[in-house]
Amino acid sequence: MNSAIYHPQLMSTINFSSRTSLINRSLPKSLVVKPKIMSSPQLGICSFSGRTQSRFCGPNAARNSRKPSICMANMVASQAETQPKNGGGLGDFVAVVRAIAFYLTTVLIAVPLFHIMLLLSPVVLLVDKFKRNAMHLVNDVWANLTTLFFYQVEVKGRENLPNFDTAVVYVANHQSYLDIFSLFRLHRPFKFVSKSSIFLFPIVGWSMYLTGHVGLKRTDRRSQMACLQDCRKLLQEGASVLFFPEGTRSTSGKMDKFKKGAFSVAAKDQVPVVPITIVGTGKLMQNGREGLLRSGGVTLIVHPALKSKDANELCEKSEAMILNELEKYDYLV
């Protein structure tokens, strides 16, 4: 079979390709059909896992990294089904206007609040160096006022949120620039991890620095280790930390595999992990198209807290909880 891997569930696809080849021989060149099977998640055709697989969840991650993944072909799925609808024409124009209004609104709100943070910073650093709850409250006001005018956020499972002063590791799927704005609707203090370059942005980046959020250079191994140490220190001092275990916003709209960093921190310091499913932000503002803000709503689902000494277990359970909830909403999974 020319080194092909026999798989019963793929035989219909292989037979279809063979029949098409036979038909092509009897057709003029202009009418020849050239079947093309793309290696993509949408078609369910997977490539080798690669050396980075060991960073992901599961006790067999290292073993699986040396084996090819064989997935069932799915010829029905298409790119259009995995991406938010873009509208077009008048819909795009309205989305552009909404995005411009959104950015202007957040800047107009952020500027006076930043000056308040500057005034508060000496006192906050003196009496609340790690938690900086006063700074988080200002962040809370900024994010909530900004989103209030553009979309509604519904929080489900609020009873699963920890007490205000309990240190936990929050983990959430990451779809959009709007995720952080939306998560402030939890009304719980937390520090989140962000690219170090963002801290250089006027007003917003400076506000993040004053609040004590954690910077990270994604391609720098030393920076990654320092980031995890900073997060552990915050947890030990009673401050909660928010991670996006996918590592970055999803480029396909689908949830990527979770990396273990956040769960290693939680396991080592024996703090609870609170998984949160974010639904809807990717449809409002798609990753890579931050110039468009569509209408709609966002739902946050807070899951029951998890606790374990096993980082793999925490990672697998959190990923399954979030993924299952996305499937319930039939949302780009």
Side-chain angles (χ1 to χ4, degrees):
M1 296 179 65
N2 295 328
S3 74
I5 300 174
Y6 176 77
H7 195 288
Q9 292 168 318
L10 292 178
M11 289 309 297
S12 60
T13 301
I14 295 171
N15 291 336
F16 169 79
S17 179
S18 301
R19 289 195 300 270
T20 305
S21 178
L22 291 172
I23 294 170
N24 284 340
R25 295 173 188 174
S26 61
L27 289 175
K29 289 185 178 180
S30 60
L31 297 178
V32 167
V33 178
K34 295 181 179 180
K36 184 178 181 182
I37 299 177
M38 298 180 64
S39 177
S40 71
Q42 287 77 28
L43 296 179
I45 300 172
C46 302
S47 60
F48 283 85
S49 300
R51 290 176 294 176
T52 58
Q53 182 69 24
S54 60
R55 293 181 298 152
F56 300 138
C57 304
N60 299 320
R63 185 181 67 185
N64 292 338
S65 66
R66 296 189 292 269
K67 294 183 179 180
S69 300
I70 305 173
C71 301
M72 190 191 308
N74 182 357
M75 303 302 291
V76 179
S78 67
Q79 186 68 17
E81 290 175 329
T82 61
Q83 295 294 345
K85 301 296 182 182
N86 292 328
L90 181 60
D92 276 356
F93 175 75
V94 173
V96 169
V97 172
R98 281 172 53 82
I100 293 172
F102 176 84
Y103 293 124
L104 288 175
T105 300
T106 195
V107 169
L108 290 173
I109 294 172
V111 170
L113 291 178
F114 174 69
H115 287 87
I116 294 174
M117 295 178 74
L118 282 176
L119 293 174
L120 291 174
S121 58
V123 178
V124 170
L125 290 174
L126 184 64
V127 302
D128 190 17
K129 180 180 178 181
F130 294 98
K131 292 184 180 179
R132 305 189 192 185
N133 286 332
M135 298 300 195
H136 181 86
L137 179 61
V138 177
N139 286 197
D140 221 7
V141 171
W142 161 70
N144 280 271
L145 284 179
T146 299
T147 57
L148 178 66
F149 300 105
F150 297 94
Y151 64 91
Q152 296 299 310
V153 179
E154 179 186 8
V155 180
K156 295 184 177 181
R158 192 175 284 277
E159 66 277 6
N160 294 320
L161 286 170
N163 294 329
F164 193 81
D165 57 351
T166 300
V168 302
V169 171
Y170 294 104
V171 294
N173 56 306
H174 201 13
Q175 300 172 345
S176 169
Y177 176 75
L178 301 177
D179 290 341
I180 286 292
F181 284 89
S182 303
L183 285 165
F184 277 108
R185 290 293 187 94
L186 296 175
H187 301 304
R188 289 294 189 277
F190 56 78
K191 304 292 182 282
F192 62 82
V193 178
S194 179
K195 289 191 299 185
S196 298
S197 57
I198 302 295
F199 288 80
L200 301 177
F201 287 13
I203 307 299
V204 173
W206 302 340
S207 299
M208 289 167 56
Y209 176 79
L210 291 176
T211 307
H213 297 302
V214 184
L216 169 68
K217 294 179 181 178
R218 290 176 182 162
T219 58
D220 188 333
R221 179 64 177 171
R222 290 183 180 179
S223 177
Q224 294 171 8
M225 297 304 295
C227 171
L228 294 178
Q229 289 300 321
D230 289 344
C231 291
R232 290 193 65 185
K233 180 65 174 175
L234 286 168
L235 290 167
Q236 292 164 5
E237 295 292 338
S240 295
V241 182
L242 166 70
F243 288 89
F244 294 111
E246 294 166 270
T248 187
R249 293 195 295 270
S250 171
T251 55
S252 66
K254 292 191 173 186
M255 193 176 85
D256 293 329
K257 291 288 294 181
F258 279 9
K259 298 177 177 66
K260 293 190 294 187
F263 307 99
S264 297
V265 169
K268 288 177 182 177
D269 288 299
Q270 280 294 280
V271 298
V273 172
V274 179
I276 300 170
T277 303
I278 304 175
V279 179
T281 53
K283 291 184 177 179
L284 268 61
M285 184 177 282
Q286 186 180 344
N287 184 28
R289 304 194 71 185
E290 282 76 15
L292 302 174
L293 175 59
R294 305 192 184 281
S295 59
V298 171
T299 303
L300 304 179
I301 301 98
V302 183
H303 301 280
L306 303 171
K307 197 168 184 180
S308 173
K309 294 182 180 180
D310 186 345
N312 277 324
E313 180 184 357
L314 291 171
C315 184
E316 288 179 334
K317 287 184 176 180
S318 298
E319 185 174 353
M321 282 181 172
I322 293 173
L323 189 60
N324 288 341
E325 202 65 39
L326 288 172
E327 288 174 344
K328 289 180 184 178
Y329 283 83
D330 193 24
Y331 189 80
L332 300 179
V333 294

